[in-house]
Amino acid sequence: MATCHRSVVVRFWASLYVFLVASMVGALNVSYDQRAFVLNGQRRLLISAGIHYPRATPEMWPELIATAKRGGANVIQTYVFWSGHEPRKGEYNFEGRYDLPKFVELVGEAGMYLNLRIGPYVCAEWNFGGFPVWLRDIPGIEFRTDNKQFKDEMETFTKFIVEKMRARALFAQQGGPIIMAQIENEYGNIEWEYGQPGKQYVKWAANMAEGLDAGVPWIMCQQGDAPLNVINTCNGYYCDGFTPNAPGRPTMWTEDWNGWYQLWGGLVPHRPVQDNAFAVARFYQRGGTFQNYYMYFGGTNFERTSGGPFITTSYDYDAPIDEYGLVRQPKWGHLKDLHEVLMRCESALMSVDDEPEYISLGRNLEAHVYTTAAHPEICAAFLANIDSSSSAVVEFRGTKYELPAWSVSILPDCKTVAYNTAKIHAQTSLMTMKRNNLKTRNPKPADVDTLIESQVATIELDWEKQEEPIGIRGGNTITAHNLLEQINTTKDSSDYLWYTTRFQVSKEDIKELQGRKEDVRLVLEDVRDALHVFVNGELSGSFSGSWFSLNHSIKLKEGVNEIALLCMTMGIQNYGAFLEKDGAGIKGKVQVTGLGSGVLDLTTSEWVYQVGLKGEDLQFFFDSGPQKGSWVPATGGPSDKPLVWYKTKFSTPDGEEPVALDLASMGKGQVWVNGHHLGRYWPLLAPQGGCSGCDFRGPYNAHKCVTGCGEPSQRWYHVPRAWLQADENTLVLFEEVGGNPSLISVATRSPGTVCAHVSDSHPPLVDKWATSSSSFDAQSQRALVPHVRLECAVHQQISHIVFASFGSSSGTCGSYSEGDCHASSSRAVVEKACLGKTFCSLDVSPAEFGEDPCPLLAKTLTVQALCRGPSELTNENLSDDDIAVPLGMYDRKWQRYEVINQRTQQTQSFLSDI
């Protein structure tokens, strides 16, 4: 009874606290109609930035949120990661990167709203789609269907999250930032596989969520049969043709795929910002009200959180904010300009109750107009050319407008073009990875030249190593006369599982083998995800794939032979139906063929299993802890020795720039800094072909615009500054197949080159419009002139103008050339305006340059400049090439690489049906 009494008292004071907080900050009533979300009685245009809190450190969160707000977003969207919050049943984690309440509070403090996608299935290219692996072990459980065991667990977790948010007063009705929540995720794509129980599950999920009384609307994405108490929303590259499945609901786009994820050994996908802006403008043009960039910041799959399988540690996603927290230009800037124009149109867009006026301007040419008879002065128009090859001139309200192919022009006053999706004002930034001295912190030199030289010098580290035992090392083993499924055995506590068996080979078999050419072969029926084959203690081969078969030549000896198979997961499947039935490791038959005595079937032999590695058990990655064994100096050059732990010390780079490790010289493994698990590494080379340029015009897909041909699929690995110590840091790697740690280096990332290419036909910058209206400030003639803006990072200045031309220049950033039309004063004018500054702006007009080099012809201002920090400003010869690191060994031992990614295939199929 005393316990009960205390509980009642605690709940009373907690409720009182929540009430008082809500009263002080002001509750927000959230509803919706057929046009938009309604916040305190006012329809709002919502622009959302997808940021996943565990893919960054808490120290990064405030700046990420602030950068999204500066970029024009007013909402932050995040999934809730069940596996991170409840790694063991009933044991909850809300610390560090998983401090969800703190993340939500920071969003509120920034004056932004939040879309909380509880799921709790999230996909997200996250390990097991965000499900904790212990769910698999519940007897009789079936995921995401009308199954009591699963529904009980799902409801328990969902309720726990809602109550935790309520306890911190984080819902809008309490004065918090959460204005909407999501239940389930992309279930409509796979619902048909579950039949009628799937349909019943959808209804149950919606009713369960609604019954939690969160006080905000609930959404379901890609759910065509969403119940009436939730809002169906769209995911995809384009959602301008999407309509909700029931009347009275706003048109919402929860995942605007402004990039795509990368696979080990795959090319790097990019989505041109002109196409992304086109898709967003088309969505709002045709009645959209909420759009979220997936991702606005992708971040990093730290630890073993990447799913797939075979998804890289980097989750950069070609997002407007890159993996390191730096803005990606021109994507961030061009979308920022779009958002500012859209918000100028908000009053007009929200004034229309149903659909805007549609006007056909010709084939593939159309206009949508937002205005009302009651307030004709409030007017916004979108003019679209959806042809993928031909530009056009259209007439709208008595005025002619040029529309480039695959573009949208936005007119916030129905007269003046403030933005065109194909014309970029924003600069292009080329990032520099500047190598730093790993070994020791440089003493302050007497002169700057010495400092520059020391920063690019190659310093060999003092590496230590320990060898990981091959096969069974004793203790905590499992013995069985069958092949065990890997995830059931490891419980995902490690990527690694040893399968070891022994068998006899007779003298006669060996003698016969010597007299013929036929090989002895190890045959495995089904394997997933990656495998190292050791025969009698020697690495025989390495393989990978998604349920692949193996027929591999091996060498045996007379007497007892040992085969040790090290199976590795590369992220548990994150997408598709029946995830609980998915597995990894070895299944089917295991045989040795080619022996004179016939086929030797090892499937039911005695197999000894060991979960994980010795180095994991003894925590080699910590400076303190149960570190048994002996570290010895690692000398010499590249090593083909498999299963080796390496350790060294390095100093923290000066400055505030993001830090990364260059691991291109290594084979495959995992990496830690100061005990923090950065993730898996595998600089597997991407294919040589496919990088043939990119035209933003026309429908986008993940294979359309790629880079990285013939290069490591991931070379750089983010080391958050918060994980570095003031001086010395411990770097530990587990190398599986062999590499050259002496070529590892640490680098800092910052913009090295900035470029701009703006024509006199570009719309004037929207920030020159009158602040309080949707029209130009007529008093400022300068407002009608396009501008070039250049900006370095806060700690940098523009040190050198590499190229400047006002005229008919051509090319791309890094390779511009003058045309026949060129103002002779171009360089002098740009240098005067920009040198020594962090930011500069110039008019794209003859008046700026004191001459018109080609009257009556269109002209462009093109500038390429170098951004340098204080230590680099006196060294004009320092280029990006000075920091390149030799890549070392690329002749990898992986003999098979085949990835079948279910989500990619089903997504492309889904898009083709739209």
Side-chain angles (χ1 to χ4, degrees), residues 836-913:
K837 298 179 180 178
T838 297
F839 171 85
C840 65
S841 174
L842 298 104
D843 291 356
V844 184
S845 71
E848 182 78 79
F849 295 89
E851 60 177 306
D852 190 338
C854 44
L856 304 180
L857 296 179
K859 288 167 282 293
T860 297
L861 175 55
T862 305
V863 181
Q864 178 177 331
L866 294 182
C867 292
R868 293 290 182 255
S871 64
E872 302 166 295
L873 289 176
T874 61
N875 192 331
E876 295 185 0
N877 295 321
L878 185 65
S879 69
D880 293 351
D881 292 337
D882 293 328
I883 56 86
V885 179
L887 297 186
M889 306 185 309
Y890 279 167
D891 184 16
R892 301 297 181 218
K893 300 178 180 180
W894 295 90
Q895 299 174 18
R896 176 182 176 86
Y897 183 75
E898 175 182 89
V899 173
I900 302 174
N901 187 280
Q902 188 179 10
R903 186 185 188 202
T904 300
Q905 292 180 339
Q906 292 195 14
T907 296
Q908 297 306 325
S909 175
F910 166 73
L911 290 173
S912 67
D913 293 338

Side-chain angles (χ1 to χ4, degrees), residues 208-377:
M208 181 270 290
E210 185 71 17
L212 297 178
D213 194 28
V216 298
W218 288 84
I219 64 174
M220 278 186 171
C221 63
Q222 288 186 319
Q223 194 62 49
D225 62 349
L228 295 181
N229 53 349
V230 297
I231 306 171
N232 178 36
T233 69
C234 183
N235 291 359
Y237 292 118
Y238 306 94
C239 284
D240 55 288
F242 171 80
T243 55
N245 66 322
R249 282 144 181 76
T251 302
M252 302 177 65
W253 188 2
T254 36
E255 289 190 13
D256 169 6
W257 301 333
N258 55 307
W260 203 244
Y261 57 86
Q262 186 185 6
L263 300 174
W264 296 115
L267 299 172
V268 185
H270 300 278
R271 186 177 185 186
V273 68
Q274 300 98 316
D275 175 66
N276 200 180
F278 171 78
V280 173
R282 286 285 289 165
F283 176 71
Y284 287 107
Q285 174 180 359
R286 300 182 67 185
T289 183
F290 169 93
Q291 172 265 344
N292 171 73
Y293 293 101
Y294 190 100
M295 300 296 298
Y296 198 80
F297 163 79
T300 308
N301 292 316
F302 295 117
E303 300 167 327
R304 298 184 303 108
T305 57
S306 62
F310 299 109
I311 291 171
T312 58
T313 295
S314 171
Y315 199 64
D316 182 85
Y317 226 87
D318 198 41
I321 305 176
D322 72 14
E323 179 183 1
Y324 301 87
L326 302 175
V327 295
R328 171 173 277 114
Q329 297 282 31
K331 183 166 281 191
W332 184 85
H334 193 47
L335 294 177
K336 175 182 182 295
D337 292 341
L338 170 61
H339 302 154
E340 187 167 351
V341 172
L342 287 171
M343 295 311 296
R344 296 274 179 159
C345 302
E346 183 180 23
S347 59
L349 268 60
M350 295 297 100
S351 68
V352 175
D353 289 333
D354 295 304
E355 296 182 355
E357 178 188 2
Y358 169 78
I359 304 172
S360 175
L361 302 175
R363 186 173 182 271
N364 291 328
L365 301 165
E366 58 187 32
H368 288 79
V369 181
Y370 289 85
T371 191
T372 63
H375 296 282
E377 74 282 2

